Amino acid sequence: MSDDTTVTFGAFEISTDSARLDPARIHHWLSTDAYWAIGRSREKQDRAIAGSLNFGAYDSATGEPVGYARVVTDHATFAWLCDVYIDRPARGRGLGTALVEAVRDHLAPLGLRRILLATADAHGVYEKVGFAQLSDPGEWMSLGVR
C-alpha cells in the first residue's frame, strides 16, 4: 500500500502527500485554536509531523490547506488519530467527517487491531465514522500529564 494517496470530497482534496503540507500553518492552527495543543512549540509540532502519517485537506480550486490530521502508528497493530483540525472558514461542510473517513479508509488495509483517539467535544464526528467509546476504559492507563 502506498502512503501517498489522494481522495476527493466535494470541493476538497484529502492527501497523504507530505510534500503538500504547510507546517507553519498547521502549527498556527493547532497552537492558537486547538484546545489540546494551545501553546505547542513549532519545534515540537515539526517533530510530531516528522514522526507521523499525515493527512492534509486542501481546497481543490486553489490548493490552499484547509485541514489536517495525523496518525501515530506501527502500521501493523495500532494507531492513534490526533491533531484533527479543520480551518474555521471550511467548517460546517462535512470536511471533518470526510477527513476522518479518509484516515479510516487509508488504515483499513493494514488490519490494525485498534485505532484510538481522544476528544473533548467532537464525539459526533467520530461516531459517524464508526468510533465508539471504550467498552472498558478501566483497562487503559496513561503515563504523564492528563
Side-chain angles (χ1 to χ4, degrees):
M1 178 181 82
S2 169
D3 266 353
D4 292 338
T5 59
T6 300
V7 296
T8 302
F9 172 75
F12 303 102
E13 294 178 336
I14 299 167
S15 174
T16 59
D17 182 356
S18 59
R20 295 183 69 181
L21 295 174
D22 182 343
R25 189 173 303 197
I26 293 166
H27 174 256
H28 175 75
W29 285 336
L30 296 177
S31 69
T32 64
D33 193 38
Y35 68 85
W36 65 90
I38 296 292
R40 183 182 291 169
S41 73
R42 173 67 192 270
E43 183 271 334
K44 185 171 280 197
Q45 184 61 50
D46 287 350
R47 281 191 293 137
I49 290 170
S52 300
L53 170 60
N54 299 280
F55 292 77
Y58 306 91
D59 182 297
S60 294
T62 65
E64 284 293 309
V66 294
Y68 175 72
R70 70 184 181 91
V71 176
V72 180
T73 183
D74 61 7
H75 297 273
T77 63
F78 178 84
W80 178 269
L81 173 59
C82 52
D83 287 347
V84 178
Y85 185 88
I86 301 298
D87 197 14
R88 289 189 178 272
R91 292 180 187 175
R93 296 186 250 175
L95 181 57
T97 300
L99 180 58
V100 176
E101 286 174 340
V103 170
R104 178 200 62 200
D105 295 349
H106 186 87
L107 296 174
L110 299 177
L112 303 176
R113 178 176 176 180
R114 185 168 284 122
I115 302 170
L116 293 176
L117 62 86
T119 184
D121 62 354
H123 294 80
V125 169
Y126 299 108
E127 288 168 348
K128 288 179 196 175
V129 179
F131 283 87
Q133 291 188 13
L134 294 174
S135 60
D136 189 358
E139 293 178 356
W140 292 88
M141 300 178 72
S142 70
L143 176 66
V145 179
R146 293 186 38 91

mmCIF file of all heavy atoms in Angstrom, residues 9 14 86 94-102 124-126 128-129:
data_model
loop_
_atom_site.group_PDB
_atom_site.id
_atom_site.type_symbol
_atom_site.label_atom_id
_atom_site.label_comp_id
_atom_site.label_asym_id
_atom_site.label_seq_id
_atom_site.Cartn_x
_atom_site.Cartn_y
_atom_site.Cartn_z
ATOM 1 N N PHE A 9 -13.390 15.096 -1.913
ATOM 2 C CA PHE A 9 -14.641 15.263 -1.187
ATOM 3 C C PHE A 9 -15.199 16.628 -1.574
ATOM 4 O O PHE A 9 -14.700 17.652 -1.121
ATOM 5 C CB PHE A 9 -14.414 15.172 0.325
ATOM 6 C CG PHE A 9 -15.646 15.530 1.116
ATOM 7 C CD1 PHE A 9 -16.703 14.638 1.204
ATOM 8 C CD2 PHE A 9 -15.769 16.761 1.732
ATOM 9 C CE1 PHE A 9 -17.855 14.976 1.914
ATOM 10 C CE2 PHE A 9 -16.905 17.102 2.450
ATOM 11 C CZ PHE A 9 -17.955 16.208 2.537
ATOM 12 N N ILE A 14 -8.179 15.412 -0.042
ATOM 13 C CA ILE A 14 -7.516 14.940 1.166
ATOM 14 C C ILE A 14 -6.347 14.082 0.695
ATOM 15 O O ILE A 14 -6.533 13.143 -0.080
ATOM 16 C CB ILE A 14 -8.474 14.153 2.063
ATOM 17 C CG1 ILE A 14 -9.638 15.061 2.497
ATOM 18 C CG2 ILE A 14 -7.733 13.575 3.268
ATOM 19 C CD1 ILE A 14 -10.805 14.334 3.116
ATOM 20 N N ILE A 86 -9.911 21.380 11.304
ATOM 21 C CA ILE A 86 -10.443 21.997 10.087
ATOM 22 C C ILE A 86 -10.432 23.503 10.315
ATOM 23 O O ILE A 86 -10.935 23.987 11.335
ATOM 24 C CB ILE A 86 -11.883 21.509 9.784
ATOM 25 C CG1 ILE A 86 -11.929 19.987 9.621
ATOM 26 C CG2 ILE A 86 -12.437 22.231 8.546
ATOM 27 C CD1 ILE A 86 -11.111 19.439 8.472
ATOM 28 N N GLY A 94 -18.963 19.184 6.309
ATOM 29 C CA GLY A 94 -18.707 17.750 6.349
ATOM 30 C C GLY A 94 -17.264 17.357 6.124
ATOM 31 O O GLY A 94 -16.945 16.171 6.057
ATOM 32 N N LEU A 95 -16.384 18.348 6.025
ATOM 33 C CA LEU A 95 -14.983 18.038 5.742
ATOM 34 C C LEU A 95 -14.315 17.292 6.889
ATOM 35 O O LEU A 95 -13.506 16.398 6.658
ATOM 36 C CB LEU A 95 -14.214 19.313 5.398
ATOM 37 C CG LEU A 95 -12.741 19.146 5.047
ATOM 38 C CD1 LEU A 95 -12.556 18.176 3.881
ATOM 39 C CD2 LEU A 95 -12.119 20.501 4.739
ATOM 40 N N GLY A 96 -14.654 17.629 8.118
ATOM 41 C CA GLY A 96 -14.065 16.920 9.265
ATOM 42 C C GLY A 96 -14.390 15.436 9.221
ATOM 43 O O GLY A 96 -13.515 14.586 9.399
ATOM 44 N N THR A 97 -15.651 15.127 8.954
ATOM 45 C CA THR A 97 -16.057 13.728 8.836
ATOM 46 C C THR A 97 -15.341 13.064 7.663
ATOM 47 O O THR A 97 -14.846 11.938 7.777
ATOM 48 C CB THR A 97 -17.582 13.627 8.665
ATOM 49 O OG1 THR A 97 -18.216 14.211 9.811
ATOM 50 C CG2 THR A 97 -18.029 12.177 8.531
ATOM 51 N N ALA A 98 -15.267 13.764 6.530
ATOM 52 C CA ALA A 98 -14.585 13.209 5.355
ATOM 53 C C ALA A 98 -13.111 12.961 5.630
ATOM 54 O O ALA A 98 -12.547 11.954 5.178
ATOM 55 C CB ALA A 98 -14.750 14.143 4.159
ATOM 56 N N LEU A 99 -12.472 13.856 6.375
ATOM 57 C CA LEU A 99 -11.065 13.683 6.713
ATOM 58 C C LEU A 99 -10.873 12.434 7.565
ATOM 59 O O LEU A 99 -9.979 11.618 7.312
ATOM 60 C CB LEU A 99 -10.549 14.933 7.431
ATOM 61 C CG LEU A 99 -9.101 14.949 7.879
ATOM 62 C CD1 LEU A 99 -8.145 14.729 6.720
ATOM 63 C CD2 LEU A 99 -8.797 16.282 8.587
ATOM 64 N N VAL A 100 -11.721 12.250 8.568
ATOM 65 C CA VAL A 100 -11.611 11.070 9.430
ATOM 66 C C VAL A 100 -11.946 9.803 8.642
ATOM 67 O O VAL A 100 -11.312 8.758 8.844
ATOM 68 C CB VAL A 100 -12.488 11.229 10.687
ATOM 69 C CG1 VAL A 100 -12.453 9.976 11.545
ATOM 70 C CG2 VAL A 100 -12.017 12.440 11.504
ATOM 71 N N GLU A 101 -12.906 9.867 7.727
ATOM 72 C CA GLU A 101 -13.187 8.709 6.866
ATOM 73 C C GLU A 101 -11.975 8.363 6.008
ATOM 74 O O GLU A 101 -11.655 7.186 5.820
ATOM 75 C CB GLU A 101 -14.387 9.001 5.959
ATOM 76 C CG GLU A 101 -15.702 8.978 6.669
ATOM 77 C CD GLU A 101 -16.862 9.403 5.781
ATOM 78 O OE1 GLU A 101 -16.642 10.074 4.742
ATOM 79 O OE2 GLU A 101 -18.005 9.080 6.147
ATOM 80 N N ALA A 102 -11.298 9.373 5.487
ATOM 81 C CA ALA A 102 -10.104 9.132 4.666
ATOM 82 C C ALA A 102 -9.011 8.451 5.494
ATOM 83 O O ALA A 102 -8.335 7.544 5.003
ATOM 84 C CB ALA A 102 -9.592 10.440 4.064
ATOM 85 N N GLY A 124 -19.574 13.250 18.100
ATOM 86 C CA GLY A 124 -20.500 13.007 16.987
ATOM 87 C C GLY A 124 -19.801 12.830 15.658
ATOM 88 O O GLY A 124 -20.197 11.987 14.847
ATOM 89 N N VAL A 125 -18.753 13.611 15.414
ATOM 90 C CA VAL A 125 -17.997 13.486 14.166
ATOM 91 C C VAL A 125 -17.396 12.091 14.070
ATOM 92 O O VAL A 125 -17.510 11.418 13.035
ATOM 93 C CB VAL A 125 -16.885 14.556 14.081
ATOM 94 C CG1 VAL A 125 -15.934 14.276 12.922
ATOM 95 C CG2 VAL A 125 -17.478 15.949 13.968
ATOM 96 N N TYR A 126 -16.773 11.655 15.141
ATOM 97 C CA TYR A 126 -16.087 10.365 15.122
ATOM 98 C C TYR A 126 -17.067 9.186 15.127
ATOM 99 O O TYR A 126 -16.794 8.154 14.513
ATOM 100 C CB TYR A 126 -15.100 10.280 16.282
ATOM 101 C CG TYR A 126 -14.047 11.351 16.180
ATOM 102 C CD1 TYR A 126 -14.041 12.440 17.036
ATOM 103 C CD2 TYR A 126 -13.076 11.304 15.185
ATOM 104 C CE1 TYR A 126 -13.089 13.443 16.911
ATOM 105 C CE2 TYR A 126 -12.122 12.297 15.050
ATOM 106 C CZ TYR A 126 -12.135 13.362 15.922
ATOM 107 O OH TYR A 126 -11.200 14.349 15.785
ATOM 108 N N LYS A 128 -19.891 9.089 13.581
ATOM 109 C CA LYS A 128 -20.361 8.934 12.193
ATOM 110 C C LYS A 128 -19.448 8.018 11.388
ATOM 111 O O LYS A 128 -19.879 7.387 10.426
ATOM 112 C CB LYS A 128 -20.411 10.295 11.486
ATOM 113 C CG LYS A 128 -21.494 11.206 11.934
ATOM 114 C CD LYS A 128 -21.379 12.508 11.147
ATOM 115 C CE LYS A 128 -22.180 13.611 11.790
ATOM 116 N NZ LYS A 128 -21.957 14.893 11.093
ATOM 117 N N VAL A 129 -18.183 7.961 11.773
ATOM 118 C CA VAL A 129 -17.186 7.195 11.028
ATOM 119 C C VAL A 129 -16.988 5.802 11.631
ATOM 120 O O VAL A 129 -16.265 4.981 11.088
ATOM 121 C CB VAL A 129 -15.864 7.996 10.978
ATOM 122 C CG1 VAL A 129 -14.772 7.270 10.236
ATOM 123 C CG2 VAL A 129 -16.101 9.358 10.360
#
